[in-house]
Amino acid sequence: MENPAIILISPQLGENIGAAARAMHNFGLRDLRLVNPRDGWPNRDAADVARNANLIIENTKIYDSVKEAVSDVNILYATTARPRDMVKTVVTPRKCATSLRQYVNSGEKCAIMFGPERTGMSNDDIILADSIVTVPVSADNTSLNLAQAVSVLCYEWFVSGDIMLEEIFVTGESGPATKLEVTMLLENLESELDKGGFFSNPDMRQRMLQNLSNIFTRNNLSQQEVKTLRGVIRSLVGRK
Amino acid sequence: MENPAIILISPQLGENIGAAARAMHNFGLRDLRLVNPRDGWPNRDAADVARNANLIIENTKIYDSVKEAVSDVNILYATTARPRDMVKTVVTPRKCATSLRQYVNSGEKCAIMFGPERTGMSNDDIILADSIVTVPVSADNTSLNLAQAVSVLCYEWFVSGDIMLEEIFVTGESGPATKLEVTMLLENLESELDKGGFFSNPDMRQRMLQNLSNIFTRNNLSQQEVKTLRGVIRSLVGRK
């Protein structure tokens, strides 16, 4: 099901390899490939930082060259700042993820490459890619940590296929209240307030009832909360 | 201009505070607040990891309680997995960022809270928030590193206000080729191929010209690349 490989070219710090694996694990990717990791492989720092992503670390594939690492890839993105001296299409991480999702659904093997921490990707490697993906960053800081760049791309990959509703009202065990339940709560409140002489100015009565209604309708009460509020009213009334 | 505060509640690791500051710096935020950091403040690990974000670290504000940390805040999000026992609206990071952008544009002070590494946010703190924001993660791994969670929210904040085109064709010094320049290149190629007897089967001629045209029109040539290809044709012709 998952497909895009994450390819780290000559990564220097094991911590960054581990953090990349962890981000992949968080966001549903598994195929990690390293080209000439500086400190060799396996790498204890990588394994320590990866934690639960140990399976990704164990199955990491090591290559001597970028060309070998991408030999089975159909669609290849290079992650780098927008280049000045190259003719390429540059996309956002979000656009990259949407496209990757489509390519993967069509059965094409995809990959995203990242350059070494200090220098970033070399032009020789960038030219192998179909497109460049650039993580947008604040104008006064264009250097993004390698693991953070991997995280952003993995996150966008996951979100591009996620079915999570952008907004949901969670009510726990209790269901959301019906309009009838809220109306009955408000009528109960109105009745008790009338008994206490709350609406001293009859001209303002309608307006105050509207205000009260808005307070309790705009915040999506659960059934349990309606019950709680009716108990609150009973308690307050009984206290007099 | 920037506005949302990042509030870390009882953070344990200085590295995570530093990485959070770095993510804020990358994505244009500055207002970092800590509630009871475990190892006190200042924290050398935080400063080491923060690197260029040292100004954020220097200006970090320290509080004794969450209530103090949020006292000036109008709109407050709590970052946590979706709760089971609480009635709250839960939004995605993207929805959160879009809403934050609107609130900030209306002059409201906003903040996003994050709980301690091991335990996450307590219910006592979650209830202070207007809404919950949940970073979607793969089903087999619901634990997201604190710094990664901060990164995702800061990234979405930045992207929600970013004007970067989702796809752009970068051509460097040279401009993109006009249709006329590409047509002339293709006519030049056709003429040279005719001289060499390339189209041996006249029935296939039209089809092959179409194929050649598609090769060079689908990849957005720059003006310089058209010149280069004309030079290539001249060179190949001269070699015979």
Side-chain angles (χ1 to χ4, degrees), chain A residues 16-226:
Chain A
N16 282 336
I17 301 170
R22 197 168 170 176
M24 291 172 68
H25 185 51
N26 284 330
F27 299 120
L29 290 176
R30 273 185 281 185
D31 185 355
L32 177 59
R33 306 178 179 194
L34 307 179
V35 179
N36 293 323
R38 186 191 65 183
D39 298 337
W41 195 257
N43 179 313
R44 175 177 288 273
D45 288 339
D48 283 351
V49 172
R51 304 223 189 141
N52 295 339
N54 52 317
L55 267 178
I56 292 175
I57 293 292
E58 283 168 28
N59 292 311
T60 297
K61 295 186 267 312
I62 310 293
Y63 299 87
D64 290 330
S65 71
V66 177
K67 280 185 179 151
E68 282 176 72
V70 304
S71 64
D72 63 331
V73 171
N74 302 114
I75 302 293
L76 181 62
Y77 285 89
T79 309
T80 180
R82 190 182 297 179
R84 288 160 185 265
D85 52 353
M86 206 173 289
V87 181
K88 281 280 191 199
T89 299
V90 180
V91 299
T92 60
R94 189 158 302 169
K95 171 72 176 172
C96 171
T98 311
S99 300
L100 283 176
R101 193 60 70 171
Q102 291 166 350
Y103 290 127
V104 167
N105 287 343
S106 309
E108 307 208 46
K109 177 63 188 175
C110 301
I112 313 172
M113 298 190 286
F114 300 79
E117 285 90 338
R118 297 242 166 151
T119 53
M121 292 201 61
S122 73
N123 281 357
D124 283 348
D125 294 333
I126 293 175
I127 55 170
L128 295 173
D130 299 285
S131 304
I132 286 169
V133 53
T134 298
V135 179
V137 286
S138 180
D140 58 344
N141 181 11
T142 54
S143 100
L144 196 66
N145 171 260
L146 170 60
Q148 277 191 337
V150 174
S151 286
V152 165
L153 268 299
C154 292
Y155 163 74
E156 285 284 6
W157 158 259
F158 186 74
V159 172
S160 74
D162 189 37
I163 54 163
M164 183 174 167
L165 293 172
E166 69 168 14
E167 180 167 325
I168 189 171
F169 178 53
V170 176
T171 56
E173 300 271 306
S174 169
T178 64
K179 291 301 172 199
L180 176 62
E181 287 163 331
V182 177
T183 303
M184 287 174 65
L185 167 69
L186 287 165
E187 286 172 358
N188 176 231
L189 179 62
E190 179 183 350
S191 156
E192 294 297 345
L193 289 174
D194 267 332
K195 288 180 198 161
F198 178 78
F199 302 106
S200 52
N201 181 345
D203 296 343
M204 294 295 286
R205 181 192 165 87
Q206 193 55 31
R207 182 60 191 271
M208 295 191 81
L209 284 172
Q210 282 177 0
N211 289 350
L212 286 169
S213 177
N214 277 331
I215 289 172
F216 291 105
T217 52
R218 75 162 170 263
N219 60 357
N220 290 340
L221 294 172
S222 75
Q223 293 182 315
Q224 182 55 52
E225 287 173 332
V226 169

Side-chain angles (χ1 to χ4, degrees), chain B residues 38-160:
Chain B
R38 185 190 67 183
D39 298 337
W41 196 257
N43 180 313
R44 176 177 288 273
D45 288 340
D48 283 351
V49 172
R51 305 226 187 138
N52 295 339
N54 53 317
L55 266 177
I56 293 174
I57 293 292
E58 284 169 27
N59 292 312
T60 297
K61 295 185 266 311
I62 310 295
Y63 299 87
D64 289 330
S65 72
V66 177
K67 280 185 180 151
E68 282 176 72
V70 303
S71 64
D72 63 330
V73 171
N74 302 113
I75 302 293
L76 180 62
Y77 285 89
T79 309
T80 180
R82 191 182 296 181
R84 288 160 187 266
D85 53 353
M86 205 173 288
V87 181
K88 281 282 190 196
T89 298
V90 179
V91 299
T92 60
R94 191 158 303 169
K95 172 72 175 170
C96 171
T98 311
S99 300
L100 283 176
R101 192 62 69 171
Q102 290 164 352
Y103 290 127
V104 167
N105 288 343
S106 308
E108 307 207 47
K109 177 63 188 176
C110 301
I112 313 172
M113 297 190 287
F114 300 79
E117 284 90 339
R118 297 242 167 150
T119 55
M121 292 202 60
S122 73
N123 281 357
D124 283 349
D125 294 333
I126 294 175
I127 55 170
L128 297 173
D130 298 285
S131 304
I132 286 169
V133 54
T134 298
V135 179
V137 287
S138 180
D140 59 343
N141 180 10
T142 54
S143 99
L144 196 67
N145 170 261
L146 171 59
Q148 276 191 338
V150 174
S151 286
V152 165
L153 268 299
C154 292
Y155 164 74
E156 285 284 7
W157 158 260
F158 186 75
V159 172
S160 74

Side-chain angles (χ1 to χ4, degrees), chain B residues 164-235:
Chain B
M164 183 172 164
L165 292 172
E166 69 169 12
E167 181 167 324
I168 189 171
F169 178 53
V170 175
T171 55
E173 299 271 306
S174 169
T178 64
K179 292 301 174 199
L180 175 62
E181 287 163 330
V182 177
T183 304
M184 286 174 65
L185 166 69
L186 287 164
E187 286 174 357
N188 176 231
L189 179 62
E190 180 184 350
S191 154
E192 295 297 344
L193 290 174
D194 267 332
K195 288 183 199 162
F198 179 77
F199 302 106
S200 52
N201 181 345
D203 295 342
M204 294 295 288
R205 180 192 165 85
Q206 193 56 28
R207 182 61 191 271
M208 296 192 80
L209 283 173
Q210 281 176 1
N211 290 350
L212 285 170
S213 177
N214 277 331
I215 289 173
F216 291 106
T217 50
R218 74 161 173 265
N219 60 358
N220 289 340
L221 294 172
S222 73
Q223 293 181 314
Q224 182 55 52
E225 287 173 333
V226 170
K227 283 185 195 154
T228 301
L229 287 170
R230 295 193 72 143
V232 166
I233 294 169
R234 271 196 307 278
S235 165

